[in-house]
Amino acid sequence: MNESLRMEQALQQLAQLIRRHAPSNGTHPTSVSSLKLMHTTQLSEPLESVYKPSICVVAQGAKMATLADEIYRYDPSTYLVTSVELPIIGRIIEASPEIPYLSLKLSFDADVILDLVKEMNRPAFVPAESSRGITVNRTSPTLLEAIVRLLQLLNTPEDVPILAPLVIREILYRVLQSEQGALIHQFAVIGSHAHNIAQAIQLINRQYDRPLVIEQLAKSVNMSTSAFHKHFKRVTAMSPLQYQKTVRLQEARRLMLTETVQASDAAFRVGYESPSQFSREYARMYGRPPTLDIQELRGSGVGSNVLG
């Protein structure tokens, strides 16, 4: 069977499986804890969340991910990989009741990547300079077929604890074999610049509501302040302070939208000391002040799926 026919068949199977296990609009958790399915019949407002290290695969439709000012489009012919936690704005750009947007997100642990690289017995290629923590790769039949096998396990939940970890390893192995495999691998190599930045990003995400002292953060991952700044921007497309501000504002927006927290309370909860500074920075990022923005979002029907 030729490659394009295999791709077509695998995508059809994938779409059927997503429809079965995510029959209604929204984001659906599954019995595989690291796997979420998405089904929607309409284009979406730009929605932000911090993407953890994960693979996003589309069976139908198309989506756009924006990091800082960079746009990454992915559809059934391509898939998105995020190697570190990144504050991304996602927008579904192809979806309709006739051909809904159907996709999945599979989160992964850097330790599994490191394990696989050791077993592959391939020389560890670590670029001298860190690369972006986000890439779009060309989808292959072998990758899609492995993903189909993972979703088929949802039909037999008793098989999930034993077989899902094996199939996930195969999926990650296929990702590492891709043209961008080395870029993903570098984030798992202890001591590499990319791994150090990944650790720093985890620290910022755990403590985003606290003041950020760049010198301390650089020291905690054994980097000079100048090298830290340079590699952080290479990985995330923004400075450490911009990254923290983006995470803070995204979380504040989520609190106001999904937990009906007042703007001033949301500001304090994410680490702002001044509600007026919060309002200014929020309006700069989202184009309108907090209260008006949340009213507009509620009016457009954006709510509990803000993280989808």
Side-chain angles (χ1 to χ4, degrees), residues 1 45-46 54 66 91 94 103 150 184 192 240-241 268:
M1 193 189 298
E45 289 283 318
S54 55
T66 304
R91 188 158 69 87
E94 281 180 26
S103 73
L150 180 64
I184 297 149
S192 71
L241 284 167
F268 291 126

Side-chain angles (χ1 to χ4, degrees), residues 48 211 217 222:
E48 66 263 308
L217 192 57
N222 300 313

Side-chain angles (χ1 to χ4, degrees), residues 245-262:
K245 186 194 295 184
T246 304
V247 170
R248 281 179 166 186
L249 292 172
Q250 282 191 4
E251 176 59 11
R253 199 184 202 200
R254 187 195 70 77
L255 287 168
M256 290 185 289
L257 187 59
T258 64
E259 297 183 24
T260 59
V261 173
Q262 294 298 308

